[in-house]
Amino acid sequence: MMIDKLGGLNPLTNVQNTHRTTAKSTVSAGVDSISVSKEAQEMAEAYYLSEVAAETPDVREDLVAQVKAKIQDPAYINDIVIDSVADKILESYFGL
C-alpha cells in the first residue's frame, strides 16, 4: 500500500516552501538606506522657515511699549540720543 498524501497535504510541498521562505529572508536582510536630494532639503528648510515666520507676530508689543516709555520721558531725548538715531537712519538708508 502507498500513501500519497497525509491529511490532504503533500509533505514534499511543505519542505520545498520552507526552503523558499528561508532563501527569501536572507536576501531581504540587507540594510535599507535613503538619500534626499539637495533640492528637497532646501525645500524642507524653506517650508520650516515659512512656518516659523507665520507663527511669529509682526509687532513685538514689549519692545514697542519700551520705546513709547522712553520717548515720553523728557530726560531721555537729548543730543546724544538724537545723534545716535540720525546716524542709524543714515546707515540703514545709505550703508554708511
Side-chain angles (χ1 to χ4, degrees), residues 22-71:
T22 306
K24 288 181 183 178
S25 65
T26 57
V27 171
S28 65
V31 177
D32 291 337
S33 66
I34 185 171
S35 65
V36 179
S37 69
K38 181 90 170 149
E39 181 182 5
Q41 290 173 349
E42 290 172 356
M43 289 177 66
E45 184 178 355
Y47 175 77
Y48 172 75
L49 293 176
S50 69
E51 290 294 314
V52 169
E55 294 173 1
T56 304
D58 292 336
V59 177
R60 293 195 46 197
E61 300 290 334
D62 56 337
L63 293 178
V64 171
Q66 287 177 2
V67 170
K68 283 183 179 181
K70 286 181 181 180
I71 290 174

Side-chain angles (χ1 to χ4, degrees), residues 69-82:
K70 286 181 181 180
I71 290 174
Q72 290 174 354
D73 182 16
Y76 177 73
I77 299 178
N78 56 32
D79 290 337
I80 297 171
V81 172
I82 292 172

Side-chain angles (χ1 to χ4, degrees), residues 2-13:
M2 186 168 178
I3 300 175
D4 249 355
K5 298 179 181 179
L6 298 173
L9 299 175
N10 185 350
L12 294 179
T13 305

Side-chain angles (χ1 to χ4, degrees), residues 72-94:
Q72 290 174 354
D73 182 16
Y76 177 73
I77 299 178
N78 56 32
D79 290 337
I80 297 171
V81 172
I82 292 172
D83 288 341
S84 174
V85 170
D87 289 342
K88 288 181 183 180
I89 290 172
L90 288 174
E91 185 177 308
S92 68
Y93 282 122
F94 301 111

